[in-house]
Amino acid sequence: MTPVSQANPARPMAAAGGIPGTPRPRQAGEEAPNRPPEPVTDQYVHREKPEPSGLYRLGSGGEGRPRLYFDGPETPGSPERDAQAGAPEKGGPAQKAERCTGDTGAVDREIEQLKQRRAELERQLDAETDGARAQELKRKLAQVEAELRQKDNDGYRRRHTTFS
């Protein structure tokens, strides 16, 4: 490496390194090119549509709406094949429809027990003369009523229905 004090200031930088991409300085007597530079444009290269790489793909569903299709390991196929998969095969045995029944008996029994417990606590509270014992019964009654409000509704019954 040359110290700065010994550098030759008469030598131009572009000529020293020959840096690629920098325009070459014109020498005396050279003319500038008369043609304008060619514009850089993109080119369209036609390619075939690639196979989907994932298990999910987008297709067109009914009424022009997009639909998401799933190609599982057991049923890869096209949208036409997926549409045919839902229909039973011609000539094959007809599939028997399964019946499913929901049972809310356990929930109904639980709610009935809570109602009986509430009625029993109300009777005990009416008959109680001791103030401390009455406060304890009121606390238990409030707890049973809160649990009853939580469980005695359609949402709780639906969530705790047993199907067979």
Side-chain angles (χ1 to χ4, degrees):
M1 175 169 267
T2 309
V4 175
S5 62
Q6 295 176 359
N8 186 359
R11 201 168 94 185
M13 289 299 277
I19 301 171
T22 56
R24 180 172 69 76
R26 286 184 296 183
Q27 300 294 326
E30 280 187 35
E31 291 185 25
N34 291 336
R35 59 186 169 102
E38 293 183 22
V40 178
T41 58
D42 292 336
Q43 281 187 331
Y44 173 74
V45 177
H46 178 71
R47 293 183 184 163
E48 293 297 321
K49 198 171 189 180
E51 264 313 296
S53 61
L55 295 175
Y56 295 95
R57 60 185 162 79
L58 192 61
S60 62
E63 300 175 11
R65 292 186 177 155
R67 181 175 171 200
L68 192 61
Y69 290 96
F70 175 69
D71 290 335
E74 65 277 349
T75 58
S78 64
E80 296 82 67
R81 184 174 178 180
D82 290 345
Q84 293 172 355
E89 293 182 22
K90 295 180 182 177
Q95 290 192 5
K96 198 174 208 179
E98 288 187 34
R99 299 237 19 163
C100 186
T101 58
D103 183 23
T104 59
V107 176
D108 293 335
R109 284 189 296 275
E110 184 180 355
I111 292 171
E112 189 61 37
Q113 288 174 354
L114 285 172
K115 287 181 180 179
Q116 289 174 359
R117 178 82 173 132
R118 179 178 64 180
E120 179 185 330
L121 287 172
E122 286 174 347
R123 279 193 301 270
Q124 289 178 3
L125 185 60
D126 289 340
E128 190 59 49
T129 57
D130 185 23
R133 176 79 176 131
Q135 289 295 333
E136 179 69 22
L137 289 174
K138 283 182 183 179
R139 185 186 62 76
K140 287 182 180 180
L141 182 62
Q143 183 179 2
V144 168
E145 285 178 347
E147 191 174 350
L148 195 56
R149 274 193 308 273
Q150 180 184 11
K151 293 182 178 181
D152 193 13
N153 59 49
D154 289 336
Y156 184 82
R157 280 188 175 89
R158 271 188 249 122
R159 286 190 305 270
H160 293 84
T161 300
T162 55
F163 293 96
S164 58

